[in-house]
């Protein structure tokens, strides 16, 4: 009886053969085309005035930062650049024919809905499109940090892109390899410390907000153990974990931060495992330097611990667990860069700024944070903005207790970007 | 000593978490290979299960339907593999890889707008008493239902393969299609069924990954775990019971490396990150002799020189 049923179902299974023939054809097509990355899609914008307009951001656009400081950051970077102005070579600086749009390509390493790094960059590109109506943005998501990014960038250039924003740290190598081949295109890398004539870079001092978030975490922890889940021990990451621990320690002398690396910018299974492992060892506030932040934020909410965010406001994903977070504010930065290129005044340089110029901002404070701690966090942000709080002013010791920044010394932004050690109170190994 | 227990506990916690999805995929591949076929498309089936399980959970809010959808999606993808290798006689290794790439593409496209979605998902249920056991209690007995089902499935599959008529038929097909045919079995049907059942199990593993472990969908989130499952089948010498040990060992290596990092062990995180793969490779190296003897005859043509 049972055997009969089974025989019938096997017969039905082999009947599927016909269906799968069609699928097989699809596969063959897939093989022929190779592993396909998503093709860049053009996103049309609204109305288009004939000439580009320079867009001066307001203080509200800058998350409370000052428009003057914002303008000064760009002016200083141009003044100190040794490159030629892009008007000498860039197609983007040439006048547009009427009805034509300036095509700007954005390449993302992950999904634009990752509640993290890529969403922050994506929202910046939307801001750019909204504020410069004669700009057309081409986007490609989920592009790996390999030769694949060269292929995608070249495809965008063939589609007419004259400015390319490769927004992931690991794109720097592959993009620099092809930058020389396209001397009329301007590449603007997010996070590099080097330039070429047509390859500039910019980044933000997001560690300032890691310091502020660390303070909140240091106040909220009951176990005095914070957890930091990172991907790779690059300077940006080390700066963040150091700032987090320094912030926490400034309000709670007993606090320690546990630091683990997942060796992947977005592997949710490893992220979850790291959260569980940390909870087992007593951590009750967690943060991260991953590209996609949703999994860890939600895991904290489910596990009854607290979380501070990174890259992007993810508070809706964790109404109870959310304390606050560090977030990017790329829109005005992208817009300023594009309008300077458009006007021919841009020279490739490395632009770095923080709260004062509104490159970064504090994510909303969660309802679990008591009012006095909320006040203190806002005061800290103001102090960092005005420069009255300088977290990395010495003496600062490393994990082994050796003084790495001497008493009274404040490292420059560039010096901070070369940090390759962890501060006292961080448990973890990076070499 | 405290540190020792902490590390061991962490390894166990890690072992069961990422281990369960790999375990399902390993079960699936055991069934497939016992019927004399190899399916490298299992990675694609896991992705299908993870993606369509998650999508269904978002759309319906019903986690049981979501699990079934995940299994079905994995099974359908492996159906393509089954058709090609059984009826069109294509190269099994190349076809499996193509199927995986196809699955990766389909899921990247289908899951695109669901990356930021939240689901209730499948949450851990503690088993009273057992979950209070020291070291292993929380790790083993505070898990989701799919994990408990995976514990039970190992012995059940083993019993199925060794003590049922169907299990015998399946193994007979895997040893020699001619003999099975002479005994009145239709080898093609058995192989298609085995490959699709394997895809179903891999799909369930993928669903566990997205619905229970991470509550998230991300493109390519299986990160090669399906291929690890293929290696674990060899380690497990085509036995579902040994596969359990293999999957726990692999998962445990992930948990162990994270735990060692978090206590600040003086080992490079880059070395620690290789742990799971070093263990997999080491085990394959040590086991090869015995594994070759246990290999179903039908696989030898495909795998000769590769094991």
């Amino acid at each position: 009886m049972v055997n009969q049923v089974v025989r019938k179902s096997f017969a039905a299974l082999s009947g599927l053969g016909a269906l799968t023939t069609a699928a097989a054809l699809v596969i063959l097509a897939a093989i022929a085309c190779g592993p396909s990355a998503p093709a860049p899609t053009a996103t049309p914008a609204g109305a288009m005035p004939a000439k580009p307009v320079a867009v001066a951001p307001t203080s509200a656009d800058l998350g409370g930062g000052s428009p003057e400081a914002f303008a000064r950051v760009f002016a200083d970077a141009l003044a100190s650049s040794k490159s030629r102005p892009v008007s000498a070579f860039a197609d983007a600086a040439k006048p547009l024919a009427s009805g034509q749009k300036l095509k700007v390509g954005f390449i993302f390493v992950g999904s634009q809905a990752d509640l993290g790094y890529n969403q922050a960059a994506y929202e910046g590109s939307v801001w750019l499109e909204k504020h410069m109506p004669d700009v057309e943005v081409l986007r490609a998501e989920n592009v790996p940090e390999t030769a694949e990014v060269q292929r995608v960038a070249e495809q965008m250039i063939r589609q007419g892109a004259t400015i390319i924003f490769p927004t992931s740290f690991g794109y720097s190598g592959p993009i620099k390899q092809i930058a020389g081949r396209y001397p009329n295109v301007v590449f603007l890398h997010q996070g590099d410390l080097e330039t070429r004539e047509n390859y500039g870079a910019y980044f933000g001092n997001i560690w300032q907000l890691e310091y502020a978030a660390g303070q909140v975490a240091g106040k909220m922890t009951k176990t005095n153990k914070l957890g930091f889940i990172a991907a790779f021990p690059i300077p940006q990451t080390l700066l963040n974990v150091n700032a987090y621990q320094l912030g926490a320690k400034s309000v709670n002398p007993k606090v320690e931060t546990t630091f683990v690396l997942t060796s992947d910018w977005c592997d949710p299974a490893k992220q979850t495992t790291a959260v569980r492992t940390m909870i087992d060892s007593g951590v009750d506030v967690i943060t991260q330097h991953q590209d996609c932040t949703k999994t860890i934020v939600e895991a904290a909410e489910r596990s009854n611990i607290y979380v501070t965010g990174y890259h992007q406001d993810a508070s809706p994903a964790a109404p109870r667990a959310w304390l606050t977070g560090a977030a990017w504010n790329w829109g005005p930065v992208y817009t300023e860069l594009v309008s300077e290129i458009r006007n021919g005044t841009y020279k490739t340089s490395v632009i770095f700024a923080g709260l004062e110029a509104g490159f970064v901002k504090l994510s909303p404070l969660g309802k679990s944070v008591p009012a006095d701690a909320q006040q203190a966090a806002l005061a800290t942000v103001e102090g960092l903005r005005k420069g009255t709080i300088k977290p990395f002013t010495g003496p600062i010791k490393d994990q082994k207790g050796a003084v790495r920044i001497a008493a009274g010394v404040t490292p420059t932004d560039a010096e901070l970007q070369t940090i390759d050690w962890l501060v006292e109170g961080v448990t973890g190994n990076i070499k | 000593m405290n540190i020792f227990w902490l590390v061991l506990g962490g390894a166990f916690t890690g072992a069961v978490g990422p281990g369960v999805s790999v375990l399902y995929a390993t079960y699936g591949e055991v069934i497939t290979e016992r019927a004399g076929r190899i399916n490298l498309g299992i990675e694609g089936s896991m992705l299908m299960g993870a993606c369509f399980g998650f999508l269904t959970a978002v759309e319906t809010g019903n986690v049981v339907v979501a699990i079934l959808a995940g299994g079905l999606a994995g099974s359908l993808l492996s159906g393509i593999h089954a058709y090609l290798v059984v009826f069109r006689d294509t190269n099994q290794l190349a076809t499996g890889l193509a199927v995986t790439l196809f699955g990766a593409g389909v899921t990247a496209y289908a899951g695109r707008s669901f990356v930021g979605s939240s689901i209730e998902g499948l949450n851990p249920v503690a088993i009273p008493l057992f979950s209070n056991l020291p070291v292993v209690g929380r790790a083993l007995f505070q898990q989701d239902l799919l994990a408990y089902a995976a514990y039970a499935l190992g012995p059940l599959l083993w019993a199925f393969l060794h003590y049922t008529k169907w299990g015998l038929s399946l193994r007979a097909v895997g040893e020699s299609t001619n003999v099975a045919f002479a005994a009145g079995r239709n080898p093609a049907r058995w192989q298609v069924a085995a490959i699709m059942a394997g895809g179903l199990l891999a799909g369930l593993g993928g669903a566990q990954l997205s619905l229970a472990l991470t509550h998230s969908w991300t493109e390519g989130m299986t990160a090669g775990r399906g291929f690890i499952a293929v290696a674990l089948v060899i380690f497990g010498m085509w036995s579902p019971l040994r596969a359990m040990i293999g999957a726990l060992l692999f998962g445990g290596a992930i948990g162990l490396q994270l735990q060692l990092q978090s206590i600040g062990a003086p080992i490079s995180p880059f070395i620690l990150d290789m742990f799971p793969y070093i263990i997999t490779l080491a085990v394959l190296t040590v086991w090869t002799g015995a594994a070759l003897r246990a290999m179903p005859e039908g696989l030898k043509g495909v795998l000769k020189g590769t094991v």
Side-chain angles (χ1 to χ4, degrees), chain B residues 133-307:
Chain B
L133 289 173
V135 186
V136 297
R138 248 175 61 85
L140 286 176
F141 299 109
Q142 190 166 0
Q143 288 292 341
D144 54 274
L145 292 174
L146 276 173
Y148 296 133
Y151 302 164
L153 204 52
L156 285 177
L157 283 177
W158 177 80
F160 166 81
L161 283 173
H162 292 272
Y163 293 103
T164 67
K165 207 170 146 190
W166 297 345
L168 187 65
S169 297
L170 186 92
R171 288 192 294 137
V173 168
E175 295 300 328
S176 165
T177 47
N178 289 339
V179 172
F181 186 72
R185 306 288 184 277
N186 181 335
R189 283 186 190 174
W190 277 100
Q191 289 187 336
V192 168
I195 293 171
M196 291 190 69
L200 176 91
L201 288 167
L204 290 178
Q208 197 272 345
L209 200 60
S210 66
L211 296 174
L213 185 66
T214 67
H215 297 237
S216 306
W217 159 253
T218 308
E219 180 183 330
M221 74 185 291
T222 52
R225 290 177 177 91
F227 295 128
I228 292 292
V230 177
L232 290 178
V233 172
I234 300 165
F235 162 68
M237 297 200 271
W238 293 270
S239 151
L241 294 178
R242 285 205 196 87
M244 295 178 83
I245 302 172
L248 281 180
L249 206 61
F250 175 77
I254 294 181
L256 182 67
Q257 64 110 341
L258 289 168
Q259 186 70 55
L260 285 175
Q261 281 194 49
S262 74
I263 61 164
I267 311 173
S268 164
F270 298 102
I271 304 275
L272 287 176
D273 194 52
M274 291 186 241
F275 249 45
Y277 309 99
I278 290 176
I279 288 187
T280 311
L281 284 175
V283 155
L284 281 182
T285 314
V286 174
W287 242 251
T288 306
L292 276 176
R293 285 192 293 281
M295 183 191 289
E297 278 302 319
L299 280 183
K300 290 198 173 154
V302 191
L303 286 187
K304 199 165 260 172
T306 55
V307 176

Side-chain angles (χ1 to χ4, degrees), chain B residues 112-129:
Chain B
R112 204 172 155 267
S113 50
F114 291 84
V115 173
S117 306
S118 291
I119 55 165
E120 180 52 37
L122 204 53
N123 290 306
V125 182
I127 295 188
L129 295 177

Side-chain angles (χ1 to χ4, degrees), chain A residues 19-233:
Chain A
L19 273 178
T20 44
T21 316
L25 288 174
V26 178
I27 283 206
L28 288 176
I31 300 169
C33 303
S36 56
T41 44
T43 322
M48 36 178 178
K51 282 216 155 184
V53 278
V55 186
T58 65
S59 180
D61 292 337
L62 299 174
S66 114
E68 295 75 38
F70 180 81
R72 197 159 54 241
V73 165
F74 285 89
D76 289 352
L78 298 190
S80 61
S81 169
K82 291 182 181 69
S83 302
R84 289 186 291 166
V86 292
S87 56
F89 56 85
D91 283 344
K94 293 183 182 142
L96 287 172
S98 74
Q100 199 188 1
K101 288 199 173 199
L102 181 72
K103 290 190 180 169
V104 180
F106 277 84
I107 308 176
F108 309 103
V109 72
S111 159
Q112 64 189 40
D114 64 358
L115 273 187
Y117 188 80
N118 297 291
Q119 188 168 341
Y122 168 76
E123 288 181 3
S125 75
V126 171
W127 211 90
L128 165 71
E129 218 168 18
K130 194 172 140 221
H131 287 79
M132 294 191 79
D134 65 345
V135 163
E136 176 181 338
V137 172
L138 312 176
R139 297 188 178 88
E141 294 177 77
N142 292 313
V143 178
E145 294 169 331
T146 58
E148 183 68 7
V149 65
Q150 300 177 337
R151 196 187 66 75
V152 172
E154 287 173 337
Q155 194 179 336
M156 285 177 164
I157 292 167
R158 275 198 299 278
Q159 287 178 30
T162 49
I163 302 174
I164 303 274
F165 283 85
T167 60
S168 184
F169 188 81
Y171 291 157
S172 63
I175 290 294
K176 270 185 279 196
Q177 280 175 15
I178 62 161
R181 244 182 274 161
Y182 300 95
N184 304 327
V185 175
V186 182
F187 296 89
L188 294 168
H189 185 267
Q190 194 155 300
D192 204 345
L193 299 172
E194 284 185 359
T195 61
R196 301 274 191 276
E197 185 160 80
N198 63 335
Y199 175 96
Y202 58 91
F203 210 62
N205 291 324
I206 199 163
W207 59 263
Q208 294 176 319
L209 293 156
E210 288 289 331
Y211 181 84
Q215 267 193 349
V216 179
K219 280 188 185 147
M220 298 297 288
T221 175
K222 300 271 185 301
T223 59
N224 296 324
K225 284 183 129 179
L226 314 180
F228 197 112
I229 301 172
F232 299 99

Side-chain angles (χ1 to χ4, degrees), chain B residues 1-9 135:
Chain B
M1 213 47 192
N2 265 338
I3 283 273
F4 175 76
W5 289 117
L6 183 73
V7 170
L8 198 64
V135 186

Side-chain angles (χ1 to χ4, degrees), chain A residues 336-347:
Chain A
E336 180 61 25
L337 286 166
V338 170
S339 75
E340 286 194 7
I341 293 171
R342 194 75 202 87
N343 298 333
T345 52
Y346 181 73
K347 298 180 204 167

